Amino acid sequence: MDRSLQAELVERLFSSLSDIILVAQDIRELALEEMDSYPVYVPTIGTSEEAHRSSVARLAAIDSMTQIFRANRDDKILTAGILCTSDQLARKFEVFNNAKNTFVHLTTKAQRIYGVTNNYTPGRFISTLLRNELKQGTQRSSFDLATREQIIYNQIDLQACRCMIRILPKDMDVFSWTWSSSHKRITKVTRSDALKLAKNLAEAEKESALEALALCSDNEFAKVTPLKEQLRANYAYFEDGVRIPKSTPLSGVVVLPQKNLPRLQWRQPPSQREHIEPRIQRESSIHDEPFIAEIGLHRYR
């Protein structure tokens, strides 16, 4: 293992982490300066419109957006919200996204160089690597004491680092949150792959699975993986006088570089609603019941 390459990579990791922390501090300072001029809306803070738009909601939004270390067990993770900002602050969020992207790239490179397997949590590996450097007394002038202690005692949240802050277009007219509650991931499975899956079953199940495949003329099957409720946004904004509607999946608080909030509509997740409106389900191209339950294989209609 090339020690000089490792040492160089560790230095780059510290430098990259320093960039993230410094721009996060800049974001916090400017976002607090803008508190009286730019509104916020966090629908999961409090139970009233006043609470959703309060200084408490703004502080929670800033904390959530700049989070790069694992949150405490009691901390509330924000799944939705809008933070109105100046153009200057919106650009800082772009810098923040780029800094996080660089750090994630370096962590992937470090895993490869150190031969870290997928069995080892990447966030724990990177945290341990940097923590050990600091515990050895290595001086890092770019970190103050509080930051050094944070690196030593807290685990870096790589999922938060991978999550890019979404910056919305200006002149937003309307913004509504909605949920996709029956979202599924469908993976095609060829006949040869289906045979391999069947052959890996226990003897008691293998024979019936192979027999079912032999009697079936299909050449393609599907594996269906139910996904969690997915938060989406439907919004519309003006560009050169033209109203443009958009729809996109999202998570967390988003940035809106304008002084006024658009018309807003928040909907509770389906799992938290007392009454769910019935919806007409479109017919699926895949049979509901699995063809071979032991390997979760579905047939196409």
Side-chain angles (χ1 to χ4, degrees), residues 68-298:
I68 58 169
F69 292 95
R70 269 195 172 179
N72 295 324
R73 186 171 296 178
D74 297 332
D75 289 346
K76 187 173 183 178
I77 305 299
L78 299 185
T79 56
I82 293 180
L83 179 70
C84 287
T85 72
S86 63
D87 290 340
Q88 181 185 2
L89 183 50
R91 286 192 293 270
K92 286 187 180 294
F93 275 109
E94 289 179 354
V95 174
F96 187 56
N97 282 341
N98 291 335
K100 290 199 294 182
N101 196 40
T102 298
F103 183 73
V104 170
H105 171 73
L106 290 172
T107 60
T108 303
K109 188 173 182 179
Q111 286 178 259
R112 186 173 65 251
I113 289 176
Y114 280 83
V116 177
T117 65
N118 292 331
N119 294 330
Y120 203 111
T121 306
R124 187 186 306 159
F125 159 68
I126 292 298
S127 296
T128 302
L129 181 66
L130 300 184
R131 182 182 300 129
N132 289 341
E133 283 286 321
L134 290 177
K135 283 183 175 179
Q136 289 172 10
T138 307
Q139 296 300 314
R140 304 283 169 182
S141 58
S142 58
F143 298 133
D144 57 22
L145 179 59
T147 302
R148 287 197 295 271
E149 289 183 347
Q150 198 170 26
I151 296 171
I152 289 173
Y153 295 111
N154 296 304
Q155 182 172 312
I156 294 169
D157 189 342
L158 275 188
Q159 185 174 350
C161 290
R162 292 189 185 101
C163 183
M164 298 291 104
I165 305 298
R166 185 181 293 274
I167 301 171
L168 298 172
K170 291 183 178 183
D171 295 325
M172 187 70 63
D173 175 48
V174 62
F175 188 99
S176 67
W177 290 272
T178 186
W179 296 85
S180 175
S181 58
S182 58
H183 203 53
K184 299 175 183 176
R185 181 187 295 118
I186 297 173
T187 307
K188 285 187 177 182
V189 178
T190 64
R191 189 176 190 82
S192 60
D193 287 336
L195 286 167
K196 289 176 185 176
L197 291 171
K199 288 175 181 177
N200 288 331
L201 292 171
E203 288 298 328
E205 300 167 335
K206 184 192 302 184
E207 185 177 348
S208 62
L210 290 173
E211 183 180 346
L213 283 170
L215 294 172
C216 176
S217 60
D218 294 5
N219 288 318
E220 277 191 341
F221 304 92
K223 288 184 78 71
V224 179
T225 306
L227 300 178
K228 294 180 180 179
E229 297 170 333
Q230 184 187 59
L231 183 60
R232 299 185 62 85
N234 297 317
Y235 60 91
Y237 62 97
F238 289 97
E239 188 175 285
D240 297 328
V242 178
R243 192 174 187 272
I244 301 174
K246 292 279 186 178
S247 178
T248 183
L250 54 75
S251 62
V253 183
V254 297
V255 172
L256 178 56
Q258 64 185 46
K259 279 208 166 187
N260 300 309
L261 285 165
R263 291 175 290 147
L264 297 169
Q265 176 66 55
W266 166 253
R267 296 175 180 84
Q268 291 289 347
S271 60
Q272 296 179 17
R273 297 177 198 165
E274 292 183 7
H275 304 288
I276 299 177
E277 294 295 326
R279 297 173 62 185
I280 298 174
Q281 299 293 328
R282 63 181 182 181
E283 187 175 355
S284 173
S285 61
I286 297 170
H287 286 282
D288 295 333
E289 295 299 321
F291 170 52
I292 302 176
E294 291 80 4
I295 52 178
L297 212 61
H298 291 251

